[in-house]
Amino acid sequence: MTDPQRSTRPAPARGTQTRTHTLQPMTARTARVHVFGRDHINTDEIIPARYLTTDREEELAPYAMQDYDPQFVQRVGQGDIVIAGADFGCGSSREHAVWALRGAGVSAVLAPNFARIFYRNAINNGFPALECAGIEELFSDGDEATLDLEAGTIRNETTGRELRFTPLPDFALAVKAAGGWLEYMRDQDAAAQAGGAASLPATVGEQPGGTLNTASTEGGHGHAGRPQGDGASFETPAGAAEPGRG
């Protein structure tokens, strides 16, 4: 779990990003890792409902993870990676959870699986949400990681250990390359107008690796994990005691 005392990185500067933007290519990236190892981290912890007054990433960014770790935005740097427990992003369907993380500088989230609505929101926004079994055991907070989207690997540069994650389907990579779902559809419309339907990119079911039938899309809420009776989560087992956040 992240240690609020590890660093004093400044919060993201307002006005440096916008909600809609062309994402930079990320074949392989080395970045610092922030570990949130608890299962069932919900969207209200990622971006509290009291801040849902805007859809601008630069305005949401200062409040990313505030109800889980208020000091997170003081440590996170541009391009950093979040490692989380199972069922990350459960709760409400707010896209703001993706916008807040990306606005704060996060380039990807890896977890054993994700809440279904968060996973699809991530794809629609061209934001990598990557399923990786055993990812919580691979890293300690503050380690350096090299993430390779094309190879489907993440390597701990501190320990030398490496894992393979479930690769993003070609469709999701195409949406990411376009900058998001709206941009992807605009590109398809432009292609249709220029060359007719035959020039359109293949649909999800027509291209290799195009399926979205992953553990996260099929599972929805109630993913297998380590139920911890988190009182702030929508997944709290009845009668369970709330653990500490240490």
Side-chain angles (χ1 to χ4, degrees), residues 81-137:
I81 296 168
V82 165
I83 304 296
D87 200 29
F88 184 80
C90 61
S92 75
S93 62
R94 65 194 71 166
E95 283 185 278
H96 302 71
V98 173
W99 299 336
L101 289 171
R102 187 167 62 188
V106 175
S107 63
V109 177
L110 287 90
N113 49 54
F114 296 86
R116 180 168 50 192
I117 191 66
F118 178 91
Y119 185 76
R120 186 57 203 232
N121 280 339
I123 289 175
N124 286 351
N125 282 277
F127 181 76
L130 307 172
E131 296 174 331
C132 186
I135 189 65
E136 315 103 294
E137 288 76 39

Side-chain angles (χ1 to χ4, degrees), residues 121-155:
N121 280 339
I123 289 175
N124 286 351
N125 282 277
F127 181 76
L130 307 172
E131 296 174 331
C132 186
I135 189 65
E136 315 103 294
E137 288 76 39
L138 186 66
F139 289 96
S140 297
D141 192 60
D143 286 346
E144 293 290 318
T146 296
L147 178 68
D148 192 324
L149 287 183
E150 289 189 358
T153 60
I154 184 166
R155 175 182 174 85

Side-chain angles (χ1 to χ4, degrees), residues 35-124:
V35 179
F36 296 101
R38 202 199 75 205
D39 294 343
H40 311 305
I41 293 175
N42 64 55
T43 52
D44 204 53
E45 293 171 298
I46 299 170
I47 181 66
R50 58 188 176 276
Y51 301 122
L52 304 186
T53 57
T54 179
D55 61 2
R56 295 180 61 84
E57 292 186 5
E58 71 272 18
E59 295 177 2
L60 294 165
Y63 311 111
M65 303 302 298
Q66 185 171 105
D67 280 7
Y68 186 92
D69 179 0
Q71 302 305 312
F72 171 69
V73 293
Q74 303 301 323
R75 300 189 310 280
V76 67
Q78 193 66 33
D80 283 0
I81 296 168
V82 165
I83 304 296
D87 200 29
F88 184 80
C90 61
S92 75
S93 62
R94 65 194 71 166
E95 283 185 278
H96 302 71
V98 173
W99 299 336
L101 289 171
R102 187 167 62 188
V106 175
S107 63
V109 177
L110 287 90
N113 49 54
F114 296 86
R116 180 168 50 192
I117 191 66
F118 178 91
Y119 185 76
R120 186 57 203 232
N121 280 339
I123 289 175
N124 286 351

